[in-house]
């Protein structure tokens, strides 16, 4: 991340650019939990002064992606099972609102998007699977007609991408995930808002249970390995 120079344009604001680049690297796993972030190295890597890096790190800390490191400095925040479960609670509520609004508007989810998602699921490409999953849910947010839903949930998805990436590297997305997506899309198309809400809440709950359980197992294995 910091070994080669990445030339950034002067606009938009440099703080926003540095923030976005670091956020992508953290959420996609290029910067692993516990990685120390050195201001001088980051500034050199982005070809900017330390000031936009400092401001970007402050924003990342406020949003929960960066934390104080032991001693001094900052590091990428460790994944926390309880925090992720809380993020899923918020996402579940927003997803439920989105599918209800989408259903009431007579929306339909693009069948091609569904087909592409199933195809990606077969590739076992972790980042592609995460992006396909996100594309499905973003289609629902857009179909809701309320732009505040997507804006409100975007930051939460960056947290979820972190845990999805960490977990799916060593295990697989459950086989039924795109069957669940299909059922949700069909309920929306059929105009059954109550069923769509029920299905998306069940879908989110299953994802939360599965991913937090696997994350807990990974964390425990790391602790056991460190003590051995």
């Amino acid at each position: 991340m910091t070994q080669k120079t990445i030339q950034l344009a002067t606009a938009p604001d440099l703080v926003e650019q540095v923030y976005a680049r670091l956020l992508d690297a953290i959420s996609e796993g290029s910067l692993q939990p516990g990685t120390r972030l050195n201001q001088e190295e980051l500034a050199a890597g982005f070809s900017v002064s330390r000031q936009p890096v400092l401001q970007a790190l402050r924003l990342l800390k406020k949003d929960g992606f960066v934390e104080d490191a032991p001693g001094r400095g900052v590091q990428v925040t460790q994944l926390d099972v309880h925090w992720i479960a809380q993020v899923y609670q918020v996402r579940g509520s927003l997803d439920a609102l989105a599918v209800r609004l989408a259903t009431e508007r007579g929306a339909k989810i693009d069948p091609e998007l569904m087909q592409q998602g199933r195809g990606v699921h077969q590739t076992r490409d972790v980042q592609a699977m995460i992006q396909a999953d996100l594309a499905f849910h973003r289609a629902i947010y857009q179909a809701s007609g309320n732009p505040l839903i997507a804006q409100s949930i975007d930051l939460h998805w960056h947290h979820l991408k972190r845990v999805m990436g960490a977990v799916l590297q060593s295990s697989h997305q459950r086989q039924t995930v795109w069957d669940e997506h299909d059922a949700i899309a069909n309920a929306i198309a059929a105009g059954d808002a109550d069923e769509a809400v029920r299905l998306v809440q069940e879908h989110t709950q299953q994802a939360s249970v599965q991913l937090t359980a696997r994350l807990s197992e990974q964390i425990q294995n790391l602790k056991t390995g460190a003590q051995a």
Side-chain angles (χ1 to χ4, degrees):
M1 184 67 195
T2 59
Q3 292 181 350
K4 65 179 182 179
T5 298
I6 303 174
Q7 190 65 46
L8 297 179
T10 56
D13 185 82
L14 285 176
V15 175
E16 294 179 2
Q17 292 186 68
V18 174
Y19 174 91
R21 291 293 184 89
L22 290 175
L23 180 58
D24 284 343
I26 292 170
S27 61
E28 293 172 2
S30 300
L31 289 174
Q32 293 287 316
T35 301
R36 282 183 175 266
L37 302 175
N38 182 280
Q39 292 180 31
E40 289 79 10
E41 291 181 359
L42 290 171
F46 289 129
S47 294
V48 298
S49 69
R50 288 180 55 192
Q51 190 60 27
V53 172
L54 175 61
Q55 294 299 324
L57 290 175
R58 286 176 176 170
L59 291 173
L60 288 165
K61 184 177 179 180
K62 176 182 71 68
D63 292 336
F65 295 97
V66 165
E67 62 187 1
D68 291 330
R72 59 176 298 179
V74 295
Q75 65 183 20
V76 177
T77 302
Q78 299 287 350
L79 290 171
D80 179 82
V81 175
H82 181 62
W83 168 252
I84 294 301
Q86 291 179 323
V87 172
Y88 265 109
Q89 286 179 335
V90 174
R91 178 193 143 183
S93 296
L94 290 172
D95 278 7
L97 174 61
V99 297
R100 182 171 294 281
L101 291 176
T103 304
E104 291 173 353
R105 297 179 74 233
K108 289 180 173 55
I109 306 302
D110 186 355
E112 184 175 346
L113 184 150
M114 309 300 294
Q115 185 177 358
Q116 290 174 348
R118 283 190 177 276
V120 167
H121 185 74
Q122 300 302 317
T123 69
R124 303 301 184 192
D125 181 326
V126 170
Q127 289 303 323
M129 286 192 294
I130 293 172
Q131 290 304 319
D133 191 63
L134 178 55
F136 169 75
H137 289 279
R138 279 182 171 161
I140 295 176
Y141 306 149
Q142 183 175 3
S144 75
N146 186 337
L148 293 178
I149 295 177
Q151 293 174 23
S152 300
I153 207 168
D154 185 60
L155 197 63
H156 300 304
W157 265 101
H158 283 286
H159 287 290
L160 297 180
K161 284 168 64 178
R162 290 188 69 203
V163 70
M164 290 170 73
V167 168
L168 293 178
Q169 292 291 344
S170 58
S171 60
H172 296 310
Q173 197 175 42
R174 65 185 187 280
Q175 293 298 318
T176 60
V177 66
W178 280 94
D179 291 334
E180 295 166 21
H181 287 171
D182 268 335
I184 294 166
N186 290 337
I188 293 173
D192 192 340
D194 290 340
E195 178 67 359
V197 168
R198 184 189 71 79
L199 288 170
V200 81
Q201 288 178 329
E202 185 177 277
H203 172 71
T204 304
Q205 177 63 20
Q206 289 180 357
S208 176
V209 169
Q210 180 200 44
L211 290 178
T212 54
R214 291 183 180 176
L215 180 59
S216 295
E217 183 179 344
Q218 286 187 1
I219 293 172
Q220 185 58 44
N221 289 340
L222 287 174
K223 289 181 179 178
T224 301
Q227 294 171 356

